[in-house]
Amino acid sequence: SDTKFDCDCDSGYVTLTLNLTVNKHTFSSAKRVETYVKPQPGEIDNVVRAHPDDKKARPDMYDTWRYEVMLAVEDKSVSGGERPKDMPSEPKYEQGPITPGPWRCRACYADRFKTMYFKLNPDGAKNCEGPCGKPREEAGWSIWLEFKDLPASQKSIIHHREAPKIKNILWTKWPGSEIEYEDDSAFNGAPPSA
């Protein structure tokens, strides 16, 4: 069952009541996996960025944005531990058909720190204009997913990257809790800064 906590936070001028809904399964277990688990082909390898149009249209509403993601492919040069049996598997996504517009090369993105190449290829480019020079179908490309369609592991990374600091502080005590503010209008829908 859920547990509700009411926290009064004095931000200097206004007292804010936070309601935290904590699910029993959200608490961290004492057992931690310290090794890197190599993603399987089709799983999300990395979240590249949030869509700039979404950020501009809905600032501070990161859980409504679309995210550019790179899918993992089989790569013998990447090593990592096997997924533990008690760790749930990640969902797999399809590369899908070629979409119009500028595109980011998966092969070049994988080597971005060696080549320092981060650019998008122009709309209509059939081959990557970056260091790999591969055809788009061979190299692969990033895809866009809405926040709600991301797996929990990637949502967690985005929460820590984009959420207000007070939420990250509360999540250290109550991981995965849902945080609501009694008076959303007091801070323009966002909590006070920590």
Side-chain angles (χ1 to χ4, degrees):
S1 69
D2 293 344
T3 307
K4 264 200 164 324
F5 294 93
D6 290 328
C7 304
D8 288 327
C9 303
D10 185 4
S11 66
Y13 299 105
V14 177
T15 299
L16 173 68
T17 300
L18 301 173
N19 297 316
L20 290 108
T21 303
V22 182
N23 299 318
K24 286 184 180 179
H25 69 274
T26 62
F27 287 99
S28 296
S29 65
K31 183 180 178 185
R32 293 183 78 64
V33 177
E34 298 297 334
T35 60
Y36 170 74
V37 176
K38 181 179 176 178
Q40 299 299 308
E43 294 177 354
I44 293 177
D45 186 30
N46 197 4
V47 174
V48 179
R49 64 181 176 142
H51 199 289
D53 294 343
D54 294 350
K55 289 179 80 170
K56 186 176 179 181
R58 297 180 305 281
D60 300 325
M61 296 177 68
Y62 67 93
D63 55 353
T64 67
W65 299 342
R66 291 167 290 169
Y67 290 88
E68 182 182 10
V69 300
M70 283 294 175
L71 300 180
V73 295
E74 184 54 47
D75 185 349
K76 303 234 187 275
S77 68
V78 176
S79 61
E82 293 293 320
R83 185 179 309 278
K85 289 181 178 26
D86 61 344
M87 180 186 276
S89 61
E90 292 284 309
K92 293 191 167 50
Y93 300 86
E94 294 292 324
Q95 177 73 77
I98 290 177
T99 54
W103 57 281
R104 190 176 313 275
C105 174
R106 192 219 40 87
C108 288
Y109 187 79
D111 289 335
R112 66 194 177 281
F113 297 118
K114 293 177 191 171
T115 63
M116 299 309 285
Y117 188 81
F118 299 89
K119 293 181 181 178
L120 291 170
N121 288 291
D123 185 17
K126 296 190 184 314
N127 292 336
C128 176
E129 294 182 358
C132 81
K134 293 179 180 177
R136 186 172 181 178
E137 292 83 5
E138 181 185 338
W141 58 92
S142 59
I143 62 172
W144 291 93
L145 295 174
E146 292 185 27
F147 180 84
K148 67 180 179 59
D149 296 328
L150 295 171
S153 60
Q154 297 298 329
K155 284 181 182 176
S156 176
I157 292 167
I158 292 170
H159 278 309
H160 288 289
R161 185 188 307 161
E162 302 287 348
K165 286 187 169 104
I166 189 70
K167 283 189 169 185
N168 283 304
I169 291 168
L170 294 169
W171 283 326
T172 61
K173 178 71 175 171
W174 299 288
S177 61
E178 295 176 29
I179 302 169
E180 297 172 355
Y181 321 112
E182 201 165 90
D183 183 8
D184 279 349
S185 64
F187 297 97
N188 198 20
S193 59

